[in-house]
Structures are given as structure tokens and as C-alpha cells.
Amino acid sequence: MWGEMLLQLLLYLLGSIETLMPVNAAALQASVLSGRAISDTTIPANIQDVADPLALSERAFEASGYTFDCDDTKYGHDLDIDDCMNALDRIINSRASVTFADRELTIERPDWDPLPWRWMGGRSSCYIEPVLKAGAQTGRTSFYKIREAAYELVRTCALRQRKGGTVTGLGGDNNVQITLGRYVQGELAVKCGRRKEVLETCRDLLISMPVTTRDERFGPKGDSEAEVILPWGMMSHDNQCVLKILTINRQGTSDVTSWYKAWEAVNAVYYGCISKGFRGSFQGLGNSHDLFVTISGP
């Protein structure tokens, strides 16, 4: 009964949003993060076809020279290996050199790839994320090296030690490192719709929504302490994909979270539902678990 009441409330809230923020098409990056052709490499195009990924990794990269830091406190433990392999399989094999930078810098340099960015498995449990070393403004490497290093990271930390972790030594200018982690909330909070929808441009939202890490109060107009007024919304550049953040709190009070945590939730919905052809939602965002994230068609 409670589940039905919550669903009805969510449907009501979805219909109540008044204005949506469109993605700024001029600032939208050409998504080299997921669009280049796969080239022939020592890593199979579909890693999940490999019967023994551990053995293949040892054959292909035994002299890789990477440096690993396996840490279950920071990055989680008992990672879902199948989901990690699914995330890994999403990374393209291009050997072309790519420059990564924080989003603010890539607005004037659309040939650079904006961070943050992550790949996740279809269960929204395991993520792989390129990050810049501390103090670096840009980092240069290739998606092939990211894929290779992430593969080694899964083998070294997730398979052997049952931990998440980081890997450095990718080459280029060595300013890019890879993080492998478990997103516990994604396993519990993502719900997919039943109706098929083609929502290809939802990827825009992952690149364009705010990602600041400061905690803010998300709440309705009636809460004088609210910093982000709910319902809040954003649309893809073609208006075919809609992101909304809502609250189920009927007392008119705010909940606290950061835009970065909201971005993590949006990623979980994107990889767990949108990439499979379904609309989706994330339930339980915020310190009090009052916030909803939804992604759907217009």
C-alpha cells in the first residue's frame, strides 16, 4: 500500500513542475567520452565475452608499470565484478590522445573532455571514473590507456582484494588516474519504468548539470532556508529528455545534499535504466532521504 501511495505522490509531483532549465547547447561538449569507433587492440571489444578475465589481464598487461592503491574505506568492498566488467566494456578503445579538464575550462575548449565523468555497469553498482591528480588543471591520455588501466585495476583490487581503488601511471602527462568504486545507493535506489523510451540525448545532462560538492538545502518555495527550490528541472538540448529533482516531504521542509551527489544519482539512473531503453528514478537522495531524481521523456 505504501509503495502505491508513494508512486501516486511521485506522479503528482512530476506533473507539478513549472519551468525546466534547458541545456546550453553552446556549452555542450561533443561527447568523445562515448562516441569514437572501437579499434583493434589486445583488449577484446566486448570484455564480457572473456571466459577468464583474470588470466587475460595477466597475459596482456603483466609489464604495464601501473601503481595501485586498493582502499575499501574510500572506494568500497565486495564490488560486483560482473557490473565492473560491464562498466569497463563501455569504455571505447581509441588510442587518440585526449585532454581532460574540469568543466569550466572545457567551455572555451570544446576539444577537451569535461570532468567529472564516469562509466557504470547496468546494475548501477560499480563505477569507473577518470580524475585529475591533485593540483593538475588538465590531464592527457587515451581511452585505450584508461580501458587498459581500469582492466588492471579490476584485476588487482576488485578480484584479488575485493576492494575498490585507484591506479596511476597511465602515460601521457601522467595527470590522469582512474578510480574504481562501489556505489551502494545505486544498488538499492534505482527504479526503472516499464515503458520503452528512446532517450539518447539524456547523456547531455551528465555533462551539463551542476556538480559542485558543497552541501545545499533542497526544498520547496515555502521553506525560507531552501537554497535550491524544488521541483527543479533541466532538459537536454533537443528537449527530448527531462531531468527533475523533487521531494516527497509534505511538511514543507528541506533536505540536504550536494549537486555532486545528485549527479551521481543521475548517472545511476542513466546507466541502470536509460541505457537500457527505460525511464527511471532514484529514490532516497539527501540526508533525510526525502529527495527523488527522475529522468524521462518530455
Side-chain angles (χ1 to χ4, degrees), residues 92 139 192 219 247 265:
I92 57 177
C192 300
T247 179

Side-chain angles (χ1 to χ4, degrees), residues 175-196:
N175 281 342
V176 178
Q177 63 184 38
I178 304 302
T179 297
L180 171 74
R182 179 180 177 184
Y183 186 55
V184 177
Q185 283 183 286
E187 303 167 26
L188 307 173
V190 174
K191 307 294 181 185
C192 300
R194 295 181 179 180
R195 189 180 68 179
K196 280 281 188 178

Side-chain angles (χ1 to χ4, degrees), residues 70-106:
C70 305
D71 188 334
D72 57 352
T73 301
K74 289 183 179 179
Y75 306 110
H77 58 85
D78 294 327
L79 278 66
D80 182 333
I81 301 301
D82 287 342
D83 209 45
C84 294
M85 299 301 277
N86 185 220
L88 190 58
D89 195 42
R90 299 181 191 274
I91 306 173
I92 57 177
N93 277 359
S94 172
R95 294 177 182 268
S97 179
V98 178
T99 298
F100 293 92
D102 287 336
R103 289 184 185 177
E104 292 76 11
L105 296 177
T106 62

Side-chain angles (χ1 to χ4, degrees), residues 48-274:
Q48 301 207 65
D49 289 341
V50 178
D52 185 355
L54 176 59
L56 175 63
S57 183
E58 290 175 332
R59 284 202 310 273
F61 312 127
E62 60 183 0
S64 62
Y66 296 123
T67 300
F68 302 93
D69 179 14
C70 305
D71 188 334
D72 57 352
T73 301
K74 289 183 179 179
Y75 306 110
H77 58 85
D78 294 327
L79 278 66
D80 182 333
I81 301 301
D82 287 342
D83 209 45
C84 294
M85 299 301 277
N86 185 220
L88 190 58
D89 195 42
R90 299 181 191 274
I91 306 173
I92 57 177
N93 277 359
S94 172
R95 294 177 182 268
S97 179
V98 178
T99 298
F100 293 92
D102 287 336
R103 289 184 185 177
E104 292 76 11
L105 296 177
T106 62
I107 292 176
E108 296 184 1
R109 290 294 305 266
D111 56 320
W112 291 355
D113 279 11
L115 297 178
W117 179 268
R118 66 174 41 171
W119 297 273
M120 301 187 78
R123 297 173 188 154
S124 302
S125 170
C126 184
Y127 68 86
I128 298 169
E129 185 171 341
V131 297
L132 297 177
K133 287 186 177 180
Q137 289 191 318
T138 63
R140 179 171 47 81
T141 187
S142 69
F143 286 107
Y144 172 81
K145 292 299 292 184
I146 290 174
R147 183 176 166 98
E148 178 185 271
Y151 200 44
E152 280 285 84
L153 183 57
V154 170
R155 177 182 73 88
T156 301
C157 291
L159 277 171
R160 288 184 169 175
Q161 301 187 37
R162 304 176 68 85
K163 300 177 181 179
T166 62
V167 57
T168 57
L170 276 69
D173 58 11
N174 279 319
N175 281 342
V176 178
Q177 63 184 38
I178 304 302
T179 297
L180 171 74
R182 179 180 177 184
Y183 186 55
V184 177
Q185 283 183 286
E187 303 167 26
L188 307 173
V190 174
K191 307 294 181 185
C192 300
R194 295 181 179 180
R195 189 180 68 179
K196 280 281 188 178
E197 292 189 65
V198 179
L199 302 169
E200 295 178 355
T201 55
C202 291
R203 188 183 296 112
D204 293 359
L205 306 172
L206 305 180
I207 299 173
S208 301
M209 69 173 290
V211 288
T212 52
T213 57
R214 180 178 68 88
D215 279 347
E216 299 185 52
R217 299 189 68 88
F218 287 66
K221 294 179 181 179
D223 185 347
S224 60
E225 296 184 353
E227 299 169 270
V228 179
I229 302 301
L230 302 179
W232 179 92
M234 172 178 274
M235 300 184 75
S236 60
H237 73 279
D238 62 355
N239 299 331
Q240 295 304 302
C241 184
V242 181
L243 163 65
K244 299 176 184 178
I245 302 178
L246 313 109
T247 179
I248 62 170
N249 188 302
R250 302 306 297 268
Q251 308 303 316
T253 56
S254 300
D255 200 352
V256 176
T257 191
S258 68
W259 281 111
Y260 183 81
K261 290 178 181 176
W263 174 82
E264 288 186 308
V266 171
N267 273 272
V269 176
Y270 177 80
Y271 287 108
C273 301
I274 305 302

Side-chain angles (χ1 to χ4, degrees), residues 6 10 185 188-191 269 281-285 289 291-293:
L6 192 60
L10 177 59
Q185 283 183 286
L188 307 173
V190 174
K191 307 294 181 185
V269 176
S281 67
F282 184 101
Q283 305 173 22
L285 181 66
H289 311 294
L291 304 179
F292 267 94
V293 171

